[in-house]
Amino acid sequence: MRDAAAGDALGVLDRMTSILEAFDQDDRGLGISELALRAGLPKSTVSRLVATLVRQRYLERDGKRIHLGLRLFELGQLAEQPRELRAAALPVMADLRTTTGENVHLAIRDRREMVCIAVMRGRFAAPPTVRIGGRLPIHATALGKAVLAHAPAADVEEVVAAGLEAWTAHTIRDPAVLCRQLDDIRGGGLATEVGEFGAGVSCAASAVFAPSGRLVGAVSVSGCADGFDADRFAPAIRAAALMLTRRLAPGGSRAV
Amino acid sequence: MRDAAAGDALGVLDRMTSILEAFDQDDRGLGISELALRAGLPKSTVSRLVATLVRQRYLERDGKRIHLGLRLFELGQLAEQPRELRAAALPVMADLRTTTGENVHLAIRDRREMVCIAVMRGRFAAPPTVRIGGRLPIHATALGKAVLAHAPAADVEEVVAAGLEAWTAHTIRDPAVLCRQLDDIRGGGLATEVGEFGAGVSCAASAVFAPSGRLVGAVSVSGCADGFDADRFAPAIRAAALMLTRRLAPGGSRAV
DNA sequence: TGCCATGGTCCCACTCACTGGAACATCGGC
DNA sequence: GCCGATGTTCCAGTGAGTGGGACCATGGCA
């Protein structure tokens, strides 16, 4: 533990997370060397830690190819926030999908990003662009703006301070414009977005609150930008968000 | 690392897994003391490790209540096996749900258990009894038997040796009966089960193979035992399993 | 058939991160 | 204010963890 190149790794656990986080979605397995490179750790260290993680089934190994293991999947499903919200949301999302025919998403906030925790594909809609477990920029998506509108002002400032990265030509980059939109969203209960994150994709979202009033996430409906009429879906989305709050009450949801 | 009470914990990583695995589905958060008790570790150690895990967002903390964190959910979604199979399976499962109206499940094998990796609720079916990420006994479910029928004989022996635990009065406990069923399943391509795992619940399943011929898991349709006609669903289930194999070919699945 | 490049494991002396008991805070409850 | 329960901090001791490098496979390539 001598030179931490970038003040990153401090203990074994941190070293382990460097390893686990070296994986990304399009990997068909990594070798020890590649893993060591990405994690910024010596090969011998990675080799040893990987052996332990494989033993614990947090990683799997097929010859030289190493992937994330089944146990991580299992544990992930037990994570409190996603589990609770998902369980309550699935029937509501199914309704929303039926009434709109479009793709329906559910996401929760994590610092300056949204994490998608459920997706339902609309009957005639294009395949969703977001993956369960995928991250979305908070300032460039309807889901994100819906949540941000009800977050403390400090959070908005933090997002702005981090820089409003442009994902498309339509991404809002001006803090003033963003704030104005957030005001509107707070008033109208609906956030919208047209091609700000993905070209040709529109989205409308509503924030979801727990019965306690705590902000927990957002639901959205998204579809192909041309012909997407947010106003038409607005009542259904708002209703879904309210319904979700009700189902989040203890005993309010029993379905999967 | 002096006295490992039951030869369990050896290194920090093992200690960490003891902590993570102390959580189960119906927990609304654990305190340090409870966690230490379950993990069989000293409080001070747990306190310290939890602090690191919270920093890494593998755990979350709300006052004294500790839960599994969002990052575990994210990582879990990246796990190779479930991800690949799920992606290929969802449309197939949706079809199966439509044609049968019952609940549809997808599971993969993990040693002597099946791990459920996708669930779809049938239009008029009762809520599924299995949770995504949940485990099922291999010998007492159609999903399990479908897979076991195509597994090496040694695996069957291992399952038998571990004891055929009775989940209901109908669970198969006689190895000879089980083996005979497995033969039938191998011949007919369909595994069935009537109230062997949950009282009043029937299920029919088919094994799923990768294009390479490797056994990867099973799909099932399940419903209320009275009126459940496995034969009626058989063709659809077999077709779904075959379709899945085709979609598992590289480039065969693009949808979510 | 050698030869090199690549990728993974093993060895082992060094040492610092980790350990855990005990003391110290903090919070409710009565 | 006292008490039990819960969580955090301290600190000396030490062995778990480290990582450079040797070693061992593979698998092209000529």
Side-chain angles (χ1 to χ4, degrees):
Chain A
M1 223 108 339
R2 300 174 308 154
D3 52 333
D8 38 82
L10 297 118
V12 205
L13 260 47
D14 304 83
R15 251 181 284 268
M16 178 206 66
T17 59
S18 304
I19 291 178
L20 294 184
E21 264 138 53
F23 291 88
D24 51 29
Q25 60 245 44
D26 37 47
D27 277 322
R28 317 196 54 60
L30 300 172
I32 292 279
S33 301
E34 173 68 8
L35 207 44
L37 198 68
R38 295 198 189 187
L41 296 170
K43 266 205 310 179
S44 59
T45 299
V46 172
S47 178
R48 202 166 3 91
L49 292 185
V50 164
T52 304
L53 290 169
V54 167
R55 183 161 50 74
Q56 295 286 0
R57 312 180 54 60
Y58 284 54
L59 292 179
E60 275 160 19
R61 183 157 199 174
D62 179 24
K64 337 198 111 170
R65 308 284 83 185
I66 297 159
H67 351 249
L68 295 172
L70 193 53
R71 183 132 271 165
L72 279 175
F73 179 80
E74 282 185 73
L75 279 177
Q77 292 298 321
L78 291 178
E80 191 89 345
Q81 281 194 79
R83 199 189 66 215
E84 209 162 321
L85 190 51
R86 261 181 79 106
L90 289 186
V92 176
M93 290 175 71
D95 282 354
L96 200 50
R97 175 200 16 207
T98 306
T99 58
T100 64
E102 301 282 3
N103 292 327
V104 177
H105 301 245
L106 177 68
I108 63 187
R109 181 180 168 203
D110 184 52
R111 305 185 191 279
R112 300 198 312 270
E113 293 175 302
M114 297 300 289
V115 176
C116 182
I117 61 169
V119 181
M120 282 195 181
R121 183 172 176 181
R123 205 160 312 283
F124 306 111
T129 51
V130 201
R131 194 177 42 80
I132 296 180
R135 286 181 172 260
L136 298 168
I138 203 165
H139 70 284
T141 55
L143 285 163
K145 290 189 289 185
V147 165
L148 202 53
H150 296 91
D155 291 13
V156 179
E157 278 165 33
E158 196 191 319
V159 169
V160 168
L164 303 177
E165 193 189 344
W167 287 81
T168 69
H170 296 105
T171 303
I172 298 172
R173 311 199 58 191
D174 181 347
V177 174
L178 181 62
C179 289
R180 196 138 15 94
Q181 277 208 5
L182 295 181
D183 284 341
D184 291 349
I185 293 166
R186 216 171 298 124
L190 194 84
T192 57
E193 171 239 318
V194 181
E196 291 164 31
F197 173 56
V201 180
S202 282
C203 190
S206 220
V208 174
F209 297 87
S212 67
R214 193 170 61 87
L215 179 58
V216 290
V219 254
S220 77
V221 166
S222 73
C224 188
D226 37 295
F228 187 88
D229 183 1
D231 291 335
R232 192 156 63 85
F233 298 142
I237 299 174
R238 283 197 202 92
L242 288 175
M243 183 58 157
L244 236 167
T245 299
R246 208 169 322 146
R247 288 178 54 87
L248 280 172
S253 74
R254 190 106 310 145
V256 178
Chain B
M1 231 101 349
R2 301 170 308 152
D3 53 334
D8 38 83
L10 296 120
V12 205
L13 259 49
D14 304 83
R15 252 180 284 269
M16 178 204 68
T17 59
S18 303
I19 291 177
L20 296 184
E21 263 137 54
F23 292 90
D24 51 28
Q25 60 247 40
D26 38 46
D27 278 322
R28 317 197 54 61
L30 300 172
I32 293 280
S33 300
E34 173 68 6
L35 207 44
L37 198 68
R38 295 198 189 189
L41 295 170
K43 266 204 314 178
S44 60
T45 299
V46 172
S47 177
R48 203 163 5 89
L49 292 184
V50 164
T52 305
L53 290 169
V54 166
R55 183 161 50 73
Q56 294 286 359
R57 313 180 56 59
Y58 283 54
L59 293 179
E60 275 160 18
R61 183 157 201 173
D62 178 25
K64 339 197 108 171
R65 306 285 82 187
I66 297 159
H67 350 249
L68 294 173
L70 193 53
R71 182 133 272 165
L72 278 176
F73 179 81
E74 282 186 73
L75 278 178
Q77 291 299 322
L78 291 177
E80 191 88 347
Q81 280 194 79
R83 199 190 65 214
E84 208 162 319
L85 190 51
R86 262 180 78 106
L90 289 186
V92 175
M93 291 174 71
D95 283 354
L96 200 50
R97 171 194 26 203
T98 307
T99 58
T100 65
E102 301 283 3
N103 293 326
V104 177
H105 301 246
L106 178 68
I108 63 188
R109 181 179 167 207
D110 184 53
R111 305 186 190 279
R112 300 198 313 269
E113 294 175 301
M114 298 299 291
V115 177
C116 181
I117 62 170
V119 182
M120 282 194 181
R121 182 172 177 180
R123 205 159 313 284
F124 306 110
T129 51
V130 201
R131 195 177 42 79
I132 296 181
R135 287 181 171 258
L136 299 168
I138 202 165
H139 71 284
T141 55
L143 284 163
K145 291 190 288 184
V147 165
L148 202 54
H150 297 92
D155 291 14
V156 179
E157 278 165 34
E158 195 191 321
V159 169
V160 169
L164 303 177
E165 192 189 345
W167 288 80
T168 68
H170 296 106
T171 303
I172 299 174
R173 310 199 59 191
D174 180 347
V177 173
L178 181 62
C179 288
R180 197 140 12 96
Q181 277 209 4
L182 295 181
D183 284 340
D184 290 349
I185 293 166
R186 217 171 299 124
L190 194 83
T192 57
E193 171 239 319
V194 181
E196 293 164 32
F197 173 56
V201 179
S202 283
C203 189
S206 221
V208 174
F209 297 86
S212 67
R214 194 171 60 86
L215 179 59
V216 290
V219 253
S220 78
V221 167
S222 74
C224 190
D226 36 296
F228 186 87
D229 183 1
D231 291 336
R232 192 157 62 82
F233 299 144
I237 298 173
R238 285 198 202 91
L242 288 175
M243 183 58 159
L244 235 168
T245 299
R246 208 169 321 145
R247 288 178 54 85
L248 280 171
S253 74
R254 192 106 309 148
V256 178

